Amino acid sequence: MATFTEQLNEQIAYEFAASQQYIAIAVHYDAETLPQLAAHFYQQAIEERNHAMMMVQYLLDSDDEVIIPAVAAPQISFADDVAPVTLALDQERRVTAQISALAVTAREAGDLVAEQFMHWFLQEQREEISSMSALLQVMERLRDNIMLVEDYLARESGGENPLEVGAPPAAGGAL
Ligand SMILES: [Fe+2]
Ligand SMILES: [Fe+2]
């Protein structure tokens, strides 16, 4: 069985892959002149990059080996404008399972410092699944008039994420 350190190094690759996937989604929307959707996913990409760098900082702090990984190629073409958000929600669900598995590994190893580190990511996943589900619901409702999704995002986005305050430090500083 993988140790917590091995598993966390794998997770760094998943977080960077999630970041690349969100850039690919942002570029898809940018190319279609859907600037609010593009901005939303460019921002998500930065957040995923920050998640990876928080994990890098944790490994640096605990004097464990850090492996900066190659990442899986993102999906770059989509059947329609709703498909990227469906993909994003699937990705967030998969990451939630990975983060939960990391918390379980830490707990089973009796490593409470590592377990506590994972708690912030569990909260973050709850928030991300909730907001991505909401966006998917809006996209499905407005799939014949995506410009109304742009209006929705212009109106609803930009609120502060209260989780930012308690976020773990990121190597080199969070972007
Ligand atoms: Fe993440
Ligand atoms: Fe995420």
Side-chain angles (χ1 to χ4, degrees):
M1 231 192 78
T3 64
F4 180 79
T5 300
E6 288 164 350
Q7 221 173 313
L8 191 60
N9 270 299
E10 269 172 45
Q11 193 63 34
I12 291 171
Y14 299 145
E15 299 293 335
F16 278 128
S19 182
Q20 291 290 88
Q21 183 62 69
Y22 285 154
I23 291 173
I25 291 173
V27 166
H28 167 85
Y29 289 129
D30 219 351
E32 309 243 297
T33 318
L34 293 166
Q36 296 289 337
L37 277 160
H40 182 76
F41 281 97
Y42 284 129
Q43 184 58 39
Q44 295 301 310
I46 290 169
E47 287 184 18
E48 299 302 346
R49 175 267 182 205
N50 286 341
H51 295 166
M53 297 305 271
M54 289 169 191
M55 293 170 182
V56 168
Q57 186 64 54
Y58 178 89
L59 291 169
L60 287 169
D61 288 343
S62 56
D63 243 344
D64 286 315
E65 189 185 15
V66 192
I67 302 153
I68 300 305
V71 301
Q75 187 177 324
I76 55 169
S77 67
F78 302 96
D80 58 33
D81 286 329
V82 178
V85 182
T86 306
L87 178 78
L89 181 57
D90 286 348
Q91 173 173 285
E92 290 301 340
R93 291 209 170 106
R94 197 167 58 242
V95 170
T96 299
Q98 291 160 350
I99 296 288
S100 300
L102 270 156
V104 168
T105 298
R107 177 173 296 188
E108 284 175 352
D111 187 344
L112 298 191
V113 173
E115 185 185 337
Q116 192 274 341
F117 174 65
M118 297 317 299
H119 285 174
W120 181 85
F121 292 93
L122 289 170
Q123 287 181 291
E124 176 75 0
Q125 284 310 119
R126 182 169 57 85
E127 189 279 323
E128 288 191 350
I129 287 193
S130 159
S131 59
M132 202 62 79
S133 299
L135 180 59
L136 182 58
Q137 195 176 42
V138 170
M139 297 281 295
E140 281 173 342
R141 190 181 301 139
L142 300 175
R143 67 160 63 236
D144 296 325
N145 193 353
I146 295 294
M147 286 313 283
L148 291 176
V149 177
E150 292 282 290
D151 293 346
Y152 165 82
L153 283 173
R155 208 168 54 236
E156 301 293 333
S157 65
E160 284 297 289
N161 176 3
L163 287 175
E164 260 168 42
V165 176
L175 297 181

